[in-house]
Amino acid sequence: VQLQASGGGLVQPGGSLRLSCAASGITFDVYVIAWFRQAPGKKREGVSCISSSDGTTVYRDSVKGRFTISRDNAKNTVDLLMNSLKLEDTAVYYCGAVAPWRYARIRDKYNFWGQGTLVTVSS
């Protein structure tokens, strides 16, 4: 099982990035996929998640209206489009997979994790 996160980089405040999580070795369309992030000295926190089939999404309050999560079950990918980036969005972003939906908000229930991609928002 592998989750491969990509798309991080250095961006100025107000800029945009698109992260992508590519999965292999799992039955992708039965898993909730989520993006978490971890800033230096802080705990890993949930950013957004998307259900396995009906497209239900959840966002943490601080990213609502700025981030959009989407998935393509045919390609086994989940993207996170991040607009209007702020300094406080700087972190390593991880994608994770869990099933079923009732575990989506419980970090410790996630079965599989990607390696992380660094997002740095700086002027």
Side-chain angles (χ1 to χ4, degrees):
V1 176
Q2 186 175 22
L3 297 179
Q4 183 76 33
S6 62
L10 174 63
V11 63
Q12 292 185 340
S16 298
L17 281 175
R18 180 185 291 271
L19 306 184
S20 185
C21 178
S24 59
I26 61 172
T27 307
F28 186 73
D29 61 3
V30 303
Y31 282 91
V32 176
I33 303 295
W35 286 96
F36 290 76
R37 66 187 180 187
Q38 188 166 16
K42 295 188 176 181
K43 294 182 178 180
R44 190 173 297 190
E45 62 183 19
V47 175
S48 181
C49 61
I50 186 166
S51 66
S52 57
S53 56
D54 67 4
T56 300
T57 57
V58 176
Y59 298 91
R60 71 179 300 109
D61 286 347
S62 61
V63 307
K64 284 180 181 177
R66 299 190 297 122
F67 290 11
T68 303
I69 192 170
S70 60
R71 70 187 292 160
D72 185 337
N73 285 345
K75 296 182 178 179
N76 285 11
T77 59
V78 169
D79 287 355
L80 184 69
L81 175 61
M82 305 186 296
N83 294 322
S84 303
L85 282 161
K86 302 177 180 180
L87 297 176
E88 54 264 39
D89 294 319
T90 294
V92 178
Y93 283 70
Y94 300 88
C95 57
V98 71
W101 176 250
R102 66 178 180 269
Y103 294 147
R105 297 173 184 257
I106 306 173
R107 182 187 61 200
D108 292 345
K109 291 291 188 181
Y110 276 72
N111 310 88
F112 309 111
W113 292 96
Q115 84 288 1
T117 185
L118 177 61
V119 172
T120 303
V121 184
S122 175
S123 56

